[in-house]
Amino acid sequence: YYLHLIDAVDENLISVVLEDIVYVFNKEAGSLVKFGQPLKNGRSDESTSIAFSKADNSLVSVGTGRGALQLWDWQQRKIV
């Protein structure tokens, strides 16, 4: 079983996933963005890993315990 619950681009952009909520801290902007996964059948799917896109720092991939992979625009708080 593998968990990767924290990722960082550098010291200014850090993401943490706790259960089904993702937090992205942007030190430069002084902001904390919080978003979660859409409910499936009334239940959320626990997140088990997170990673910023190497090509575009506004994208974050979130892996779930059920094997799903979601790509989020964390600034818009939407799945792409």
Coordinates of all heavy atoms in Angstrom, one line a residue:
Y1 N 0.8 -1.2 0.0 CA 0.0 0.0 0.0 C 0.9 1.2 0.0 O 1.8 1.4 0.8 CB -0.9 0.0 1.2 CG -2.1 0.9 1.2 CD1 -3.1 0.7 0.3 CD2 -2.1 2.1 2.0 CE1 -4.2 1.6 0.2 CE2 -3.1 2.9 1.9 CZ -4.2 2.7 1.1 OH -5.2 3.6 1.0
Y2 N 0.6 2.2 -0.9 CA 1.5 3.3 -1.1 C 0.7 4.6 -0.8 O -0.4 4.8 -1.4 CB 2.1 3.3 -2.5 CG 2.9 4.5 -2.8 CD1 4.2 4.6 -2.2 CD2 2.5 5.5 -3.7 CE1 5.0 5.7 -2.5 CE2 3.3 6.6 -4.0 CZ 4.5 6.7 -3.4 OH 5.3 7.8 -3.7
L3 N 1.2 5.5 0.0 CA 0.6 6.8 0.2 C 1.6 7.9 -0.1 O 2.8 7.8 0.2 CB 0.2 7.0 1.7 CG -0.9 6.0 2.2 CD1 -1.1 6.3 3.7 CD2 -2.2 6.2 1.4
H4 N 1.2 8.9 -0.8 CA 2.0 10.1 -1.1 C 1.1 11.3 -0.9 O 0.4 11.8 -1.8 CB 2.5 10.1 -2.6 CG 3.4 11.2 -2.9 ND1 4.7 11.2 -2.6 CD2 3.2 12.4 -3.6 CE1 5.3 12.3 -3.0 NE2 4.3 13.0 -3.6
L5 N 1.1 11.8 0.4 CA 0.1 12.7 0.8 C 0.6 14.2 0.7 O -0.2 15.1 1.0 CB -0.3 12.4 2.2 CG -0.9 11.0 2.4 CD1 -1.2 10.7 3.9 CD2 -2.1 10.7 1.5
I6 N 1.8 14.4 0.4 CA 2.4 15.8 0.3 C 3.2 15.9 -1.0 O 3.9 15.0 -1.3 CB 3.3 16.1 1.5 CG1 2.5 16.0 2.8 CG2 3.9 17.4 1.4 CD1 3.4 16.1 4.1
D7 N 3.0 17.0 -1.6 CA 3.9 17.3 -2.8 C 4.2 18.8 -2.8 O 3.4 19.6 -2.3 CB 3.2 16.9 -4.1 CG 4.2 16.9 -5.3 OD1 5.4 16.6 -5.1 OD2 3.8 17.3 -6.4
A8 N 5.3 19.2 -3.4 CA 5.7 20.6 -3.4 C 6.4 20.9 -4.7 O 7.2 20.1 -5.2 CB 6.6 21.0 -2.3
V9 N 6.1 22.1 -5.3 CA 6.8 22.5 -6.5 C 8.1 23.2 -6.0 O 9.2 22.9 -6.6 CB 6.0 23.6 -7.3 CG1 6.8 24.2 -8.4 CG2 4.7 22.9 -7.8
D10 N 8.0 24.0 -5.0 CA 9.2 24.6 -4.3 C 8.7 25.0 -3.0 O 7.6 24.6 -2.5 CB 9.8 25.7 -5.2 CG 8.7 26.8 -5.5 OD1 7.8 27.0 -4.8 OD2 8.9 27.4 -6.6
E11 N 9.4 25.9 -2.3 CA 9.0 26.3 -1.0 C 7.8 27.2 -1.0 O 7.2 27.5 0.0 CB 10.1 26.9 -0.2 CG 10.6 28.2 -0.7 CD 11.6 28.1 -1.8 OE1 12.1 27.0 -2.2 OE2 12.0 29.2 -2.4
N12 N 7.3 27.6 -2.2 CA 6.2 28.5 -2.3 C 4.9 27.9 -2.6 O 3.8 28.5 -2.4 CB 6.5 29.6 -3.4 CG 7.5 30.6 -2.9 OD1 7.5 31.0 -1.8 ND2 8.5 30.9 -3.8
L13 N 4.9 26.6 -3.1 CA 3.7 26.0 -3.5 C 3.7 24.5 -3.0 O 4.5 23.7 -3.4 CB 3.6 26.0 -5.0 CG 2.2 25.7 -5.6 CD1 1.1 26.6 -5.1 CD2 2.3 25.8 -7.2
I14 N 2.8 24.2 -2.0 CA 2.8 23.0 -1.3 C 1.4 22.4 -1.3 O 0.4 23.2 -1.0 CB 3.3 23.1 0.1 CG1 4.8 23.6 0.1 CG2 3.2 21.8 0.9 CD1 5.3 24.1 1.4
S15 N 1.2 21.1 -1.6 CA -0.1 20.5 -1.5 C -0.1 19.4 -0.5 O 0.9 18.7 -0.3 CB -0.6 20.0 -2.8 OG 0.3 19.0 -3.3
V16 N -1.2 19.2 0.2 CA -1.4 18.1 1.2 C -2.8 17.6 1.0 O -3.8 18.3 0.8 CB -1.3 18.7 2.7 CG1 -1.5 17.6 3.7 CG2 0.1 19.3 2.9
V17 N -2.9 16.3 1.1 CA -4.2 15.6 1.0 C -4.5 14.9 2.3 O -3.6 14.2 2.8 CB -4.3 14.7 -0.3 CG1 -3.4 13.6 -0.2 CG2 -5.7 14.2 -0.4
L18 N -5.7 15.1 2.9 CA -6.1 14.5 4.1 C -7.5 13.9 3.9 O -8.5 14.7 3.6 CB -6.1 15.5 5.3 CG -4.8 16.1 5.6 CD1 -5.0 17.2 6.6 CD2 -3.8 15.1 6.1
E19 N -7.6 12.6 3.9 CA -8.8 11.9 3.6 C -9.3 12.3 2.2 O -8.7 11.9 1.2 CB -9.9 12.0 4.7 CG -9.5 11.4 5.9 CD -10.5 11.4 7.0 OE1 -11.6 11.9 6.7 OE2 -10.2 11.0 8.1
D20 N -10.4 13.0 2.1 CA -10.9 13.4 0.8 C -10.8 14.9 0.5 O -11.4 15.4 -0.4 CB -12.4 12.9 0.6 CG -13.3 13.6 1.6 OD1 -12.8 14.1 2.6 OD2 -14.5 13.4 1.5
I21 N -10.0 15.6 1.3 CA -9.9 17.1 1.1 C -8.4 17.4 0.7 O -7.5 16.8 1.3 CB -10.2 17.8 2.4 CG1 -11.6 17.5 2.9 CG2 -10.0 19.3 2.2 CD1 -12.7 18.0 1.9
V22 N -8.3 18.2 -0.3 CA -6.9 18.6 -0.7 C -6.7 20.1 -0.3 O -7.6 20.9 -0.5 CB -6.8 18.5 -2.3 CG1 -5.5 19.1 -2.8 CG2 -7.0 17.1 -2.7
Y23 N -5.5 20.4 0.2 CA -5.2 21.8 0.5 C -3.9 22.1 -0.3 O -3.0 21.4 -0.4 CB -4.8 21.8 2.0 CG -5.9 21.4 3.0 CD1 -6.0 20.1 3.3 CD2 -6.8 22.4 3.5 CE1 -7.0 19.7 4.2 CE2 -7.8 22.0 4.3 CZ -7.9 20.7 4.7 OH -8.9 20.3 5.6
V24 N -4.0 23.3 -0.9 CA -2.8 23.8 -1.6 C -2.5 25.2 -1.0 O -3.3 26.1 -0.9 CB -3.1 24.0 -3.1 CG1 -1.9 24.7 -3.8 CG2 -3.5 22.7 -3.8
F25 N -1.3 25.3 -0.5 CA -0.8 26.5 0.2 C 0.1 27.2 -0.8 O 1.1 26.6 -1.3 CB -0.1 26.2 1.5 CG 0.5 27.4 2.1 CD1 -0.3 28.5 2.6 CD2 1.9 27.6 2.2 CE1 0.3 29.6 3.2 CE2 2.5 28.7 2.8 CZ 1.6 29.7 3.3
N26 N -0.2 28.4 -1.1 CA 0.6 29.3 -2.0 C 1.2 30.4 -1.1 O 0.6 31.4 -0.8 CB -0.2 29.9 -3.1 CG 0.6 30.6 -4.1 OD1 1.7 31.1 -3.8 ND2 0.0 30.8 -5.3
K27 N 2.5 30.2 -0.7 CA 3.2 31.1 0.1 C 3.3 32.5 -0.5 O 3.1 33.5 0.2 CB 4.5 30.6 0.5 CG 5.3 31.5 1.5 CD 6.7 30.8 1.8 CE 7.5 31.8 2.6 NZ 8.9 31.2 2.8
E28 N 3.6 32.5 -1.8 CA 3.8 33.8 -2.5 C 2.6 34.6 -2.5 O 2.6 35.8 -2.2 CB 4.2 33.5 -3.9 CG 5.1 34.5 -4.5 CD 5.7 34.0 -5.9 OE1 4.9 33.8 -6.8 OE2 6.9 33.7 -5.9
A29 N 1.4 34.0 -2.7 CA 0.1 34.7 -2.7 C -0.5 34.8 -1.3 O -1.4 35.6 -1.1 CB -0.8 34.0 -3.6
G30 N 0.1 34.1 -0.3 CA -0.5 34.1 1.0 C -1.9 33.4 1.1 O -2.7 33.8 1.9
S31 N -2.1 32.4 0.3 CA -3.4 31.8 0.2 C -3.4 30.3 0.5 O -2.4 29.7 0.2 CB -4.1 32.1 -1.2 OG -3.3 31.4 -2.2
L32 N -4.5 29.9 1.0 CA -4.8 28.4 1.2 C -6.0 28.1 0.5 O -7.1 28.6 0.7 CB -4.9 28.1 2.7 CG -5.2 26.7 3.0 CD1 -4.0 25.8 2.7 CD2 -5.5 26.5 4.5
V33 N -5.9 27.2 -0.5 CA -7.1 26.7 -1.3 C -7.5 25.3 -0.8 O -6.6 24.4 -0.6 CB -6.7 26.7 -2.8 CG1 -7.9 26.1 -3.6 CG2 -6.4 28.1 -3.3
K34 N -8.7 25.1 -0.6 CA -9.2 23.8 -0.1 C -10.3 23.3 -1.0 O -11.2 24.1 -1.4 CB -9.8 24.0 1.3 CG -10.5 22.8 1.9 CD -11.1 23.2 3.3 CE -12.1 22.2 3.7 NZ -12.7 22.5 5.0
F35 N -10.2 22.1 -1.4 CA -11.2 21.5 -2.3 C -11.3 20.0 -2.0 O -10.4 19.4 -1.4 CB -11.0 21.8 -3.8 CG -9.7 21.3 -4.3 CD1 -9.6 20.1 -4.9 CD2 -8.6 22.2 -4.3 CE1 -8.4 19.6 -5.4 CE2 -7.4 21.7 -4.8 CZ -7.3 20.5 -5.4
G36 N -12.4 19.4 -2.5 CA -12.6 18.0 -2.2 C -13.1 17.3 -3.5 O -13.4 17.9 -4.5
Q37 N -13.2 16.0 -3.3 CA -13.7 15.1 -4.4 C -15.2 15.1 -4.4 O -15.8 15.2 -3.4 CB -13.2 13.7 -4.3 CG -11.7 13.6 -4.4 CD -11.2 12.2 -4.2 OE1 -12.0 11.3 -4.2 NE2 -9.9 12.0 -4.1
P38 N -15.8 15.0 -5.6 CA -17.2 14.9 -5.7 C -17.7 13.6 -5.0 O -17.0 12.6 -5.1 CB -17.5 14.9 -7.2 CG -16.3 15.3 -7.9 CD -15.2 15.0 -6.9
L39 N -18.9 13.7 -4.4 CA -19.4 12.5 -3.8 C -19.8 11.4 -4.8 O -20.4 11.8 -5.9 CB -20.6 12.8 -2.9 CG -20.3 13.7 -1.7 CD1 -21.6 14.0 -1.0 CD2 -19.3 13.1 -0.8
K40 N -19.6 10.2 -4.5 CA -20.0 9.1 -5.4 C -20.9 8.2 -4.6 O -20.5 7.6 -3.6 CB -18.8 8.2 -5.9 CG -17.8 9.0 -6.7 CD -16.7 8.1 -7.1 CE -15.7 8.9 -8.0 NZ -14.6 8.1 -8.4
N41 N -22.2 8.1 -5.0 CA -23.2 7.3 -4.3 C -23.3 7.8 -2.8 O -23.4 6.9 -1.9 CB -22.9 5.8 -4.4 CG -22.8 5.3 -5.8 OD1 -23.6 5.8 -6.7 ND2 -22.0 4.4 -6.1
G42 N -23.2 9.1 -2.6 CA -23.3 9.6 -1.3 C -22.0 9.4 -0.4 O -22.0 9.8 0.7
R43 N -21.0 8.9 -1.0 CA -19.7 8.7 -0.3 C -18.6 9.3 -1.1 O -18.5 9.3 -2.3 CB -19.4 7.2 -0.1 CG -20.5 6.6 0.7 CD -20.3 5.1 0.9 NE -19.0 4.9 1.6 CZ -18.2 3.9 1.3 NH1 -18.4 3.0 0.4 NH2 -17.0 3.8 2.0
S44 N -17.6 9.9 -0.4 CA -16.4 10.3 -1.1 C -15.4 9.2 -1.1 O -15.4 8.3 -0.3 CB -15.8 11.6 -0.4 OG -15.5 11.3 0.9
D45 N -14.5 9.3 -2.0 CA -13.4 8.3 -2.2 C -12.1 8.8 -1.5 O -11.7 9.9 -1.9 CB -13.2 8.0 -3.6 CG -12.3 6.8 -3.9 OD1 -11.9 6.1 -2.9 OD2 -12.1 6.5 -5.1
E46 N -11.6 8.1 -0.6 CA -10.4 8.6 0.2 C -9.2 8.8 -0.8 O -8.9 7.9 -1.5 CB -10.0 7.7 1.3 CG -8.9 8.2 2.1 CD -8.6 7.3 3.3 OE1 -9.1 6.1 3.3 OE2 -7.9 7.7 4.2
S47 N -8.6 10.0 -0.7 CA -7.4 10.3 -1.5 C -6.2 9.6 -0.9 O -6.0 9.7 0.3 CB -7.2 11.8 -1.7 OG -8.3 12.3 -2.3
T48 N -5.3 9.1 -1.7 CA -4.1 8.4 -1.2 C -2.8 8.9 -1.8 O -1.8 8.6 -1.3 CB -4.2 6.9 -1.6 OG1 -4.3 6.7 -3.0 CG2 -5.3 6.2 -0.8
S49 N -2.9 9.8 -2.8 CA -1.7 10.4 -3.4 C -2.0 11.7 -4.1 O -3.2 11.9 -4.5 CB -1.0 9.4 -4.3 OG -1.8 9.1 -5.4
I50 N -1.0 12.6 -4.2 CA -1.2 13.8 -4.8 C 0.1 14.2 -5.5 O 1.2 13.9 -5.0 CB -1.6 14.9 -3.8 CG1 -2.0 16.2 -4.6 CG2 -0.6 15.2 -2.8 CD1 -2.8 17.2 -3.7
A51 N 0.1 14.9 -6.6 CA 1.3 15.4 -7.3 C 0.9 16.6 -8.2 O -0.1 16.6 -8.9 CB 1.9 14.3 -8.1
F52 N 1.8 17.6 -8.2 CA 1.6 18.7 -9.1 C 2.1 18.3 -10.5 O 3.0 17.5 -10.6 CB 2.5 19.9 -8.7 CG 1.9 20.7 -7.5 CD1 2.4 20.6 -6.3 CD2 0.9 21.6 -7.8 CE1 1.9 21.3 -5.2 CE2 0.4 22.4 -6.7 CZ 0.9 22.2 -5.4
S53 N 1.5 18.8 -11.5 CA 1.9 18.6 -12.9 C 3.3 19.2 -13.1 O 3.5 20.4 -12.6 CB 0.9 19.2 -13.9 OG 1.4 19.2 -15.2
K54 N 4.2 18.5 -13.7 CA 5.5 19.1 -14.0 C 5.4 20.2 -15.1 O 6.2 21.0 -15.2 CB 6.5 18.0 -14.4 CG 6.6 16.9 -13.4 CD 7.2 17.4 -12.1 CE 7.4 16.3 -11.1 NZ 7.2 16.7 -9.8
A55 N 4.4 20.1 -16.0 CA 4.2 21.0 -17.1 C 3.4 22.2 -16.7 O 3.7 23.3 -17.3 CB 3.5 20.3 -18.2
D56 N 2.5 22.1 -15.7 CA 1.6 23.2 -15.4 C 1.3 23.2 -13.9 O 0.6 22.3 -13.5 CB 0.4 23.1 -16.3 CG -0.6 24.3 -16.0 OD1 -0.3 25.1 -15.1 OD2 -1.6 24.4 -16.8
N57 N 1.8 24.1 -13.1 CA 1.7 24.1 -11.7 C 0.2 24.3 -11.2 O -0.1 24.2 -10.1 CB 2.6 25.1 -11.0 CG 4.0 24.7 -11.1 OD1 4.4 23.6 -11.4 ND2 4.9 25.7 -11.0
S58 N -0.7 24.7 -12.2 CA -2.0 24.9 -11.8 C -2.8 23.6 -11.8 O -4.0 23.6 -11.4 CB -2.7 25.9 -12.7 OG -2.9 25.4 -14.0
L59 N -2.2 22.5 -12.2 CA -2.8 21.2 -12.2 C -2.3 20.3 -11.2 O -1.0 20.2 -10.9 CB -2.7 20.5 -13.6 CG -3.2 21.3 -14.8 CD1 -2.9 20.6 -16.1 CD2 -4.7 21.5 -14.6
V60 N -3.2 19.6 -10.5 CA -2.8 18.6 -9.5 C -3.5 17.3 -9.8 O -4.7 17.3 -10.0 CB -3.2 19.1 -8.1 CG1 -3.0 18.1 -7.0 CG2 -2.5 20.4 -7.7
S61 N -2.7 16.2 -9.7 CA -3.4 14.9 -9.9 C -3.6 14.3 -8.5 O -2.7 14.4 -7.6 CB -2.5 14.0 -10.8 OG -1.2 13.8 -10.2
V62 N -4.8 13.7 -8.3 CA -5.1 13.1 -7.1 C -5.5 11.6 -7.3 O -6.4 11.3 -8.1 CB -6.3 13.8 -6.4 CG1 -6.7 13.1 -5.1 CG2 -6.0 15.3 -6.2
G63 N -4.8 10.7 -6.7 CA -5.1 9.3 -6.8 C -6.0 8.9 -5.6 O -5.8 9.4 -4.5
T64 N -6.9 7.9 -5.8 CA -7.8 7.5 -4.7 C -7.6 6.0 -4.3 O -6.9 5.3 -5.1 CB -9.3 7.6 -5.2 OG1 -9.6 6.7 -6.1 CG2 -9.5 9.0 -5.7
G65 N -8.1 5.7 -3.2 CA -8.0 4.3 -2.7 C -8.6 3.3 -3.6 O -8.3 2.1 -3.5
R66 N -9.6 3.7 -4.4 CA -10.2 2.8 -5.3 C -9.6 2.7 -6.7 O -10.1 2.1 -7.6 CB -11.7 3.2 -5.5 CG -12.5 3.1 -4.2 CD -13.9 3.5 -4.4 NE -14.6 3.5 -3.2 CZ -15.8 3.9 -3.0 NH1 -16.5 4.4 -4.0 NH2 -16.4 4.0 -1.8
G67 N -8.4 3.4 -6.8 CA -7.7 3.3 -8.1 C -8.0 4.3 -9.1 O -7.5 4.3 -10.2
A68 N -8.8 5.3 -8.8 CA -9.2 6.4 -9.7 C -8.1 7.4 -9.7 O -7.4 7.6 -8.7 CB -10.5 7.0 -9.4
L69 N -8.0 8.1 -10.8 CA -7.0 9.2 -10.9 C -7.8 10.5 -11.4 O -8.5 10.4 -12.4 CB -5.9 8.9 -11.9 CG -4.8 10.0 -12.0 CD1 -4.1 10.2 -10.7 CD2 -3.8 9.6 -13.1
Q70 N -7.7 11.6 -10.7 CA -8.4 12.8 -11.0 C -7.4 13.9 -11.3 O -6.4 14.0 -10.6 CB -9.3 13.2 -9.9 CG -10.4 12.2 -9.6 CD -11.3 12.6 -8.4 OE1 -10.8 13.4 -7.6 NE2 -12.5 12.1 -8.4
L71 N -7.6 14.7 -12.3 CA -6.8 15.8 -12.6 C -7.6 17.1 -12.3 O -8.6 17.3 -12.8 CB -6.4 15.8 -14.1 CG -5.4 16.9 -14.5 CD1 -4.0 16.7 -13.7 CD2 -5.1 16.8 -16.0
W72 N -7.1 17.9 -11.3 CA -7.7 19.1 -10.8 C -7.0 20.3 -11.3 O -5.8 20.4 -11.2 CB -7.8 19.1 -9.3 CG -8.8 18.1 -8.7 CD1 -8.6 16.8 -8.5 CD2 -10.1 18.4 -8.2 NE1 -9.7 16.3 -7.9 CE2 -10.6 17.2 -7.7 CE3 -10.8 19.6 -8.1 CZ2 -11.8 17.2 -7.1 CZ3 -12.1 19.5 -7.5 CH2 -12.6 18.3 -7.0
D73 N -7.8 21.4 -11.6 CA -7.2 22.7 -11.7 C -7.5 23.3 -10.3 O -8.6 23.6 -9.9 CB -8.0 23.5 -12.7 CG -7.5 25.0 -12.8 OD1 -7.1 25.6 -11.8 OD2 -7.5 25.5 -14.0
W74 N -6.4 23.3 -9.5 CA -6.6 23.7 -8.1 C -7.0 25.1 -7.9 O -7.7 25.5 -6.9 CB -5.4 23.3 -7.2 CG -4.2 24.1 -7.6 CD1 -3.2 23.7 -8.4 CD2 -3.7 25.3 -7.0 NE1 -2.2 24.6 -8.5 CE2 -2.5 25.7 -7.6 CE3 -4.3 26.2 -6.1 CZ2 -1.8 26.8 -7.3 CZ3 -3.6 27.4 -5.8 CH2 -2.4 27.7 -6.4
Q75 N -6.7 26.0 -8.8 CA -7.0 27.4 -8.7 C -8.5 27.6 -8.9 O -9.2 28.4 -8.3 CB -6.2 28.3 -9.6 CG -4.7 28.3 -9.2 CD -3.8 28.9 -10.2 OE1 -4.1 28.7 -11.4 NE2 -2.8 29.5 -9.8
Q76 N -9.1 26.8 -9.9 CA -10.5 26.9 -10.2 C -11.3 25.9 -9.3 O -12.6 26.0 -9.4 CB -10.7 26.6 -11.7 CG -10.0 27.5 -12.6 CD -10.6 28.9 -12.5 OE1 -11.8 29.1 -12.4 NE2 -9.7 29.9 -12.5
R77 N -10.6 25.0 -8.6 CA -11.3 24.0 -7.8 C -12.2 23.1 -8.6 O -13.3 22.8 -8.2 CB -12.1 24.6 -6.6 CG -11.2 25.4 -5.7 CD -11.9 26.0 -4.6 NE -11.0 26.9 -3.9 CZ -11.4 27.8 -3.1 NH1 -12.7 28.1 -2.9 NH2 -10.5 28.6 -2.5
K78 N -11.8 22.7 -9.8 CA -12.6 21.9 -10.7 C -11.8 20.8 -11.3 O -10.6 20.9 -11.5 CB -13.1 22.8 -11.9 CG -14.1 23.8 -11.5 CD -14.9 24.3 -12.8 CE -14.1 25.3 -13.5 NZ -14.8 26.0 -14.6
I79 N -12.4 19.7 -11.6 CA -11.8 18.6 -12.3 C -11.8 18.9 -13.8 O -12.7 19.4 -14.3 CB -12.6 17.3 -12.1 CG1 -12.5 16.8 -10.6 CG2 -12.1 16.1 -13.0 CD1 -13.3 15.6 -10.3
V80 N -10.6 18.7 -14.4 CA -10.5 18.9 -15.8 C -10.7 17.7 -16.6 O -10.5 16.6 -16.2 CB -9.1 19.5 -16.2 CG1 -9.2 20.9 -16.7 CG2 -8.1 19.4 -15.1

